[in-house]
């Protein structure tokens, strides 16, 4: 069982002719609601790839019986939720106008519970973006921990990042997140990578880099027609963690993550175009050739 | 039966520390969802005052089984809804920051159906803010029609306002709306009032003015501790129309409207503090003295 800790969120993606001036108003010409939140995106990706997954998130009054819960149930995600009465499930409102300008409003909502919540003790956990103090407690208790700071990276203090790096086994970060971590820790990217057994730094269309005990592997991205880059990192992690659980070597896990992400960016939304293991395998073959076999006995954290 | 035509809307009232700059983001520290929409506010007010009421609105996929529908059912509002698949119920997002600056995003959503919808033929109808062309068709078909242009006043063309004024029996407008109508029609407020049997112009804390066939009545507002002026106009109309249906003379209807509105502004939200007829009567007595009796036989549009 892979455990994922972090946000479940609801994303309202809106079009407006023009962003409103201060004390002005504007018309929404289109509003689509997408299922999101870093942790939920990763859990959904793992579930569609066929691995058992438990999601540890905070949700509000609006979650029970709603479409998002029904969707998670259909995917078979095991819920381990803090249900916080009198709050909303974390919600983001993103407005984009005809000239491409944007503004975003994010409601932390139920996720405020993380700062005071007791951390679960877990055998194999990935901590996606959420409360820094909670993630520190999870990392300290877990047997095997993976971590990405995500868009909340700026919330982490130096000492919190240091404890996390000491306690985790895998670090994921994109260029922006690596940059913030370097600033906060006074370190170079390679130095950060050396503090953990496995570090994966992603760079969008330029692919990803795996740091594995002194060895550096470069994994190219797969060229696809990109509709929306949102969710690429989350699906990469879903692919990586599913493959890692099945016993694949880290460089193979990176390729499987890359292939998984290539599906997600082809469509709008983070959970709208997730591949099954078979879909992933087929594209892997077409792109990298020679899909590696791994015996069931290789599975980790049985 | 009083029929109300216009918007049912969902209002998200949000607090943020500071409005985001272009291409920036901000945190929502509080988000409350209120039931709104001009027509729905008036219908709710009438229902709580104890008069049978039918609401003609457009709603989206998100309405059925939701909290707003349950609330309307509890109030006993008879629904006559256009349910428009693939759309949202009209929704407003209002963001206010710590320095009092605001911005508003409004999604017309399901209400787009009004422009092409067939108008019902009704004995006693109030047209609240909605599509101008639809309101024109409703006014032309109705036996007795009341109208307020509301926040959509700027959508009305000169010829549409002229047809409406020709066909309606009661006109409600606040100062801003009167101003826009004067501009568009090239008329003075008194001239507009003379085109209809009854005109009621409201002016917030300065009370309201009734124009009744050449006679002008000034009705003072009731001094209360105001928490939120939103919904004052809608509840005024709910009180007026309920009283008018019961057979009260227009100046009494204005006083009953004034008392009804005085409850609504004491609390946040447009439907959160609606008075029953008894509550209204009690405050009327305390403020205006001598609550008038009207025999059941005086009821209009039996």
């Amino acid at each position: 069982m892979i455990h994922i800790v972090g946000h479940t969120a609801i994303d309202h993606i809106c079009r407006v002719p023009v962003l409103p001036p201060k004390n002005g108003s504007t018309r929404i010409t289109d509003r689509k609601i997408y299922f999101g939140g870093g942790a939920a995106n990763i859990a959904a990706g793992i579930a569609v790839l066929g691995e058992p997954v438990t999601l540890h998130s905070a949700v509000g009054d609006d979650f029970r019986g709603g479409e998002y819960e029904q969707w998670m149930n259909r995917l078979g995600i095991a819920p381990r939720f803090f249900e916080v009465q009198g709050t909303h499930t974390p919600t983001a409102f993103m407005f984009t106008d005809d000239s491409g300008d944007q503004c975003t409003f994010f409601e932390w909502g139920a996720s405020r519970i993380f700062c005071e919540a007791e951390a679960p003790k877990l055998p194999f956990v990935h901590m996606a973006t959420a409360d820094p103090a909670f993630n520190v407690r999870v990392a300290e208790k877990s047997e095997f921990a993976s971590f990405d700071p995500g868009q909340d990276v700026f919330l982490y203090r130096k000492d919190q990042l240091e404890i996390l790096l000491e306690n985790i086994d895998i670090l994921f970060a994109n260029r922006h997140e690596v940059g913030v971590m370097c600033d906060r820790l006074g370190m170079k990217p390679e130095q950060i990578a050396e503090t953990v057994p496995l570090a994966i730094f992603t760079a969008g269309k330029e692919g990803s880099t795996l740091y594995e005990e002194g060895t550096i592997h470069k994994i190219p991205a797969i060229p696809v027609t990109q509709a929306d880059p949102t969710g690429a990192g989350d699906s990469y992690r879903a692919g990586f963690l599913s493959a890692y659980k099945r016993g694949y070597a880290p460089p193979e896990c990176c390729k499987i993550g890359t292939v998984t992400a290539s599906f997600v960016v082809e469509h709008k939304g983070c959970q709208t175009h997730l591949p099954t293991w078979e879909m992933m395998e087929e594209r892997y073959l077409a792109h990298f050739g020679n899909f590696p076999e791994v015996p069931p006995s290789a599975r980790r954290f049985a």
Side-chain angles (χ1 to χ4, degrees), chain A:
Chain A
M1 177 67 76
I2 306 174
H3 293 266
I4 310 292
V5 169
H7 294 306
T8 286
I10 296 162
D11 298 331
H12 294 245
I13 310 293
C14 308
R15 290 287 307 194
V16 299
V18 63
L19 293 176
K22 207 175 262 188
N23 297 311
S25 70
T26 195
R27 218 161 21 94
I28 298 173
T29 51
D30 185 60
R31 176 166 61 102
K32 295 256 179 339
I33 299 172
Y34 291 99
F35 302 145
N41 291 340
I42 299 172
I46 291 172
V48 176
L49 285 169
E51 279 299 311
V53 62
T54 298
L55 175 60
H56 303 252
S57 277
V59 297
D61 299 327
D62 50 354
F63 190 76
R64 272 258 174 240
E67 287 183 32
Y68 204 171
E69 186 183 42
Q70 290 170 31
W71 164 247
M72 286 189 184
N73 288 343
R74 280 202 300 280
L75 294 184
I77 294 171
R80 199 74 69 78
F81 293 157
F82 300 105
E83 291 191 42
V84 190
Q85 299 304 309
T87 70
H88 295 120
T89 300
T91 305
F93 300 94
M94 279 163 266
F95 302 95
T96 307
D97 74 11
D98 287 346
S99 55
D101 287 319
Q102 293 191 317
C103 69
T104 301
F105 300 78
F106 187 74
E107 182 182 20
W108 193 268
S111 281
R112 275 197 284 258
I113 193 79
F114 279 125
C115 72
E116 57 194 44
E118 203 185 328
K121 179 174 162 52
L122 301 166
F124 178 23
V125 61
H126 177 79
M127 293 162 284
T129 172
D131 186 78
F134 182 74
N135 281 345
V136 163
R137 295 199 292 279
V138 172
E140 287 175 332
K141 273 185 160 182
S142 300
E143 292 170 36
F144 187 96
S146 163
F147 169 67
D148 79 86
Q151 64 204 39
D152 295 335
V153 61
F154 63 91
L155 296 176
Y156 288 83
R157 295 191 314 261
K158 182 169 187 268
D159 62 304
Q160 291 174 318
L161 287 174
E162 285 168 346
I163 301 175
L164 278 162
L165 293 175
E166 249 169 59
N167 282 279
I168 62 176
D169 304 276
I170 309 177
L171 170 68
F172 292 94
N174 66 21
R175 275 190 290 203
H176 163 67
E177 293 151 12
V178 171
V180 174
M181 291 172 76
C182 286
D183 280 356
R184 219 136 284 182
L185 292 163
M187 293 168 81
K188 289 194 159 56
E190 295 70 26
Q191 292 176 307
I192 291 177
E194 280 168 18
T195 65
V196 290
L198 294 173
I200 298 98
F201 294 162
T202 56
K205 289 178 182 166
E206 292 166 38
S208 54
T209 307
L210 166 68
Y211 299 83
E212 186 188 15
E213 324 219 345
T215 310
I216 294 178
H217 305 262
K218 295 267 181 194
I219 297 96
I222 296 183
V224 291
T225 307
Q226 186 170 298
D228 175 16
T230 323
D234 293 330
S235 49
Y236 185 108
R237 292 182 272 277
F240 185 101
L241 295 168
S242 297
Y244 193 79
K245 183 80 173 68
R246 290 185 186 223
Y248 286 87
E252 301 303 336
C253 296
C254 287
K255 288 184 194 164
I256 289 170
T258 299
V259 176
T260 305
S262 75
F263 283 90
V264 169
V265 299
E266 289 174 328
H267 287 69
K268 243 183 152 179
C270 300
Q271 299 181 30
T272 36
H273 195 232
L274 296 164
T276 62
W277 188 266
E278 290 66 35
M279 289 161 70
M280 180 279 296
E281 204 174 313
E282 193 181 317
R283 190 174 287 185
Y284 186 110
L285 263 170
H287 191 75
F288 293 116
N290 192 28
F291 191 77
E293 290 297 325
V294 167
S297 61
R299 288 184 70 84
R300 295 180 170 106
F301 320 104

